[in-house]
């Protein structure tokens, strides 16, 4: 299905996949809560969060809005962490809002190391630190922004794998997002409703390309996990009238 709501992408995906897993008799669970820290970048308009290392471009037109974060390199994982969904709540600081509200954010950027600063004073994203540099509107939903940095608890949550499609009539580029399991992709194939499986080559990070004419066909994707070598098939993810610039969500994911 195509995604267009800026604030509900992760939460809707969680509901869709939870229902699918429930029908299969399995139990859907997020990862356990872990500790980290969070800062913010940009202002209330979140204009500085547009674009970014994941290559998603305008985050409003691609459906992510302002509930986004840049990840430290430990989580970013050379781009394989792009599109991951995390629940974050501020805890253990006076700047945290009462009740420790939870926000769900999508990873859309890299927070690079700052080796000129110590890791506990300015170099917040230096390895091996786990850190979230959130958009200011997202940060303001969990804590007083005047604090600058706050301790947080986070956990990764999964909906279905999502595919942001770009390209033209002869070239398909798919950004793979919200990959469960180890969060990495080893190989990927695409299949149009009038074709067999077509092997895709890696463009960069979690983006894969195929030089084929696939317009006017419904699209399915086959993905192999690098970590486990397991393969899943996301059938008919995009309808025959799919368009570039839209994000389509499957009802399957790695576990």
């Amino acid at each position: 299905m195509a995604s267009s709501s800026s604030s509900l992408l992760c939460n809707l995906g969680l509901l869709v996949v939870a229902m699918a897993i429930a029908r299969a008799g399995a139990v859907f669970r997020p990862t356990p809560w872990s500790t980290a820290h969070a800062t913010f970048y940009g202002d209330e308009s979140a204009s500085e969060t547009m674009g970014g290392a994941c290559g998603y471009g305008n985050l409003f037109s691609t459906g992510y809005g302002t509930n986004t974060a840049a990840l430290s390199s430990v989580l970013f994982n050379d781009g394989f962490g792009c599109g991951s969904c995390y629940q974050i709540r501020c805890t253990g600081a006076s700047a945290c809002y009462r009740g420790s509200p939870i926000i769900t954010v999508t990873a859309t950027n890299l927070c690079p190391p700052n080796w000129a600063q110590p890791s506990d004073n300015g170099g917040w994203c230096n390895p091996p630190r786990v850190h979230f540099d959130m958009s200011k509107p997202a940060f303001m939903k969990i804590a007083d922004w005047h604090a600058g940095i706050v301790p947080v608890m986070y956990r990764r949550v999964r909906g279905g794998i999502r595919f942001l499609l770009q390209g033209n009539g002869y070239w398909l580029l798919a950004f793979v997002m919200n990959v469960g399991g180890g969060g990495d992709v080893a190989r990927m194939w695409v299949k149009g409703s009038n074709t067999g499986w077509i092997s895709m080559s890696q463009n960069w990070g979690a983006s894969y390309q195929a030089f084929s004419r696939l317009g006017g066909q419904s699209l399915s994707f086959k993905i192999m996990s690098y970590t486990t070598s397991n393969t899943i098939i996301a059938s008919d993810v995009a309808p025959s009238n799919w368009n570039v610039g839209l994000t389509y969500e499957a009802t399957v994911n790695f576990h």
Side-chain angles (χ1 to χ4, degrees):
M1 67 181 177
S3 299
S4 58
S5 170
S6 63
S7 62
L8 297 179
L9 275 175
C10 287
N11 290 330
L12 283 176
L14 288 173
L15 177 60
V16 169
V17 173
M19 292 172 64
I21 293 176
R23 288 194 295 269
V27 178
F28 176 78
R29 294 188 180 93
T31 61
W33 288 101
S34 301
T35 59
H37 285 81
T39 49
F40 66 88
Y41 67 113
D43 57 21
E44 285 87 345
S45 72
S47 59
E48 291 187 30
T49 68
M50 299 298 132
C54 290
Y56 295 154
N58 186 308
L59 298 178
F60 290 103
S61 63
T62 50
Y64 292 103
T66 60
N67 283 0
T68 62
L71 306 181
S72 60
S73 55
V74 172
L75 294 176
F76 188 74
N77 192 21
D78 293 328
F80 291 113
C82 289
S84 299
C85 294
Y86 293 91
Q87 289 182 335
I88 299 175
R89 58 187 177 94
C90 181
T91 180
S94 59
C96 298
Y97 290 149
R98 181 175 297 180
S100 192
I102 296 172
I103 184 173
T104 302
V105 299
T106 304
T108 59
N109 205 352
L110 167 68
C111 180
N114 180 3
W115 299 114
Q117 300 291 336
S119 296
D120 60 352
N121 187 18
W124 308 122
C125 292
N126 293 350
R129 290 182 65 98
V130 175
H131 191 87
F132 296 88
D133 199 18
M134 305 169 67
S135 73
K136 189 172 182 180
F139 187 93
M140 291 171 66
K141 292 179 180 179
I142 63 170
D144 182 352
W145 68 270
H146 293 90
I149 181 171
V150 293
V152 297
M153 301 288 289
Y154 76 95
R155 62 182 180 182
R156 185 172 175 181
V157 292
R158 291 196 305 269
I161 295 179
R162 296 194 298 271
F163 304 88
L164 169 61
L165 304 183
Q166 299 289 358
N168 53 44
Y170 302 90
W171 172 60
L172 175 70
L173 179 66
F175 293 88
V176 190
M177 303 172 286
N178 199 36
V179 181
D184 46 32
V185 177
R187 296 187 64 189
M188 184 164 154
W189 298 260
V190 62
K191 181 180 181 295
S193 50
N194 298 324
T195 74
W197 286 108
I198 300 168
S199 181
M200 304 181 76
S201 60
Q202 186 178 28
N203 182 279
W204 178 86
S207 64
Y208 286 77
Q209 60 191 358
F211 294 91
S212 302
R213 299 186 64 172
L214 293 166
Q217 303 180 56
S218 60
L219 302 180
S220 301
F221 294 94
K222 181 165 60 174
I223 302 173
M224 176 185 290
S225 168
Y226 177 83
T227 301
T228 65
S229 295
N230 289 339
T231 300
I232 60 172
I233 295 177
S235 298
D236 297 322
V237 176
S240 59
N241 63 341
W242 61 269
N243 283 299
V244 297
L246 291 181
T247 301
Y248 298 89
E249 182 163 2
T251 57
V252 295
N253 210 329
F254 293 107
H255 303 298

